[in-house]
Amino acid sequence: MYHAVAHRPADATHALSVSPEAFAAQMELLAARGFTPVTTAALGHAWRTGGALPRRPVLITFDDGYEGVHRHALPVLAAYGFAATVFLTTGWLRGPDHAGGALDTMLDWGQVRELAAAGTEIGGHSHTHPQLDQLGAARLRFEAVHCRELIGDRLGGPPVSFAYPYGYSSRRVRRTVREAGFAQSLAVGNALARPRQGPYALERVTVRRSTGVEEFAHLVEGRSLGRIFAGDRVLTKGYAVVRRTRAAARRALVTGRG
């Protein structure tokens, strides 16, 4: 899971960004070790149907839709013939649907079309990047449906893959995303994706500014993940309790008003 690819990212995206040089080195490692990148759609289809996957399949995914994915990552992906998936926060993109809130320079729709024409899968990542599990039913449905409709309108066909903003979901969120028409969704989890996770809760590992080549090798081989992400998992569990408490309080407030 990547975010921004930039020499000088904004402060808000710095920790979850990678430099263009680091990204190129990481893709070189994937090629040298015989990995075959596939799109999220291809992985989901293979696991649903029992179809074959290439040797050593791996997903290369980018969340949010930062401009550096087109400027810096696409030429490297093209050089290796690598597939990837970009999950768009549609309201953050530059253009007529901009809703504010973007953390850095984002793609515009012309660049999105160029990514798609190059074979990159375009997926959904909501419209305004909220914590979906904290939303009421109407707003939750809007975030999933409007995102999918905008991408479909701009690219001539709706996306089939989704990634949850911040990785947060719940049964209600996953059901809404499925009902919106997405066939599979990615969380974070900082673990390797497995079929047993189900098509709407597939896990990924985070690549950061601080991720060196050796650590990256451990990530793609699935080694030492518990140690690498120990701090993340403690924080995730604690914040999950906070989010559930907040959501319960909001439901109680709504019920009381009704």
Side-chain angles (χ1 to χ4, degrees):
M1 178 182 69
Y2 290 96
H3 288 79
V5 183
H7 292 292
R8 291 178 295 277
D11 289 346
T13 61
H14 187 273
L16 286 178
S17 72
V18 296
S19 71
E21 294 79 10
F23 181 76
Q26 291 160 4
M27 296 304 100
E28 181 181 11
L29 183 146
L30 291 180
R33 298 200 177 193
F35 284 91
T36 304
V38 298
T39 63
T40 306
L43 178 69
H45 181 266
W47 280 353
R48 280 194 307 275
T49 64
L53 286 167
R55 178 177 175 268
R56 308 203 83 185
V58 63
L59 297 188
I60 302 168
T61 68
F62 302 88
D63 283 7
D64 301 336
Y66 296 101
E67 192 270 346
V69 175
H70 180 275
R71 180 187 299 270
H72 300 298
L74 179 58
V76 178
L77 295 170
Y80 288 105
F82 281 177
T85 304
V86 177
F87 294 103
L88 300 179
T89 302
T90 49
W92 283 7
L93 300 190
R94 290 179 289 148
D97 307 300
H98 182 66
L103 303 178
D104 207 335
T105 304
M106 308 305 292
L107 296 164
D108 62 34
W109 285 105
Q111 292 171 320
V112 171
R113 284 189 285 271
E114 290 178 6
L115 284 161
T120 301
E121 179 190 6
I122 305 300
H125 195 48
S126 81
H127 186 59
T128 64
H129 206 277
Q131 297 180 24
L132 296 178
D133 59 344
Q134 300 297 299
L135 303 182
R139 175 72 188 287
L140 171 58
R141 185 176 187 279
F142 168 81
E143 288 288 340
V145 171
H146 190 55
C147 171
R148 189 168 190 265
E149 289 177 344
L150 281 177
I151 296 172
D153 289 345
R154 298 295 184 272
L155 300 184
V160 297
S161 303
F162 189 85
Y164 305 110
Y166 308 102
Y168 302 151
S169 71
S170 64
R171 288 183 181 178
R172 183 175 64 96
V173 171
R174 293 189 288 273
R175 182 176 65 248
T176 301
V177 168
R178 183 181 69 246
E179 291 171 351
F182 293 98
Q184 53 273 322
S185 299
L186 299 184
V188 182
N190 286 317
L192 300 188
R194 304 293 186 193
R196 64 175 179 270
Q197 294 160 1
Y200 293 93
L202 296 174
E203 297 186 342
R204 298 180 286 174
V205 293
T206 306
V207 184
R208 299 185 170 95
R209 199 82 179 181
S210 60
T211 303
V213 170
E214 183 177 350
E215 183 174 297
F216 182 81
H218 288 175
L219 298 186
V220 297
E221 298 283 358
R223 293 185 284 117
S224 305
L225 298 186
R227 175 182 57 80
I228 293 170
F229 295 111
D232 298 76
R233 291 174 178 177
V234 170
L235 291 173
T236 297
K237 289 179 180 179
Y239 198 40
V241 174
V242 173
R243 294 198 324 276
R244 286 196 296 269
T245 302
R246 288 175 178 170
R250 288 192 182 97
R251 287 194 297 269
L253 181 60
V254 170
T255 302
R257 286 176 177 172

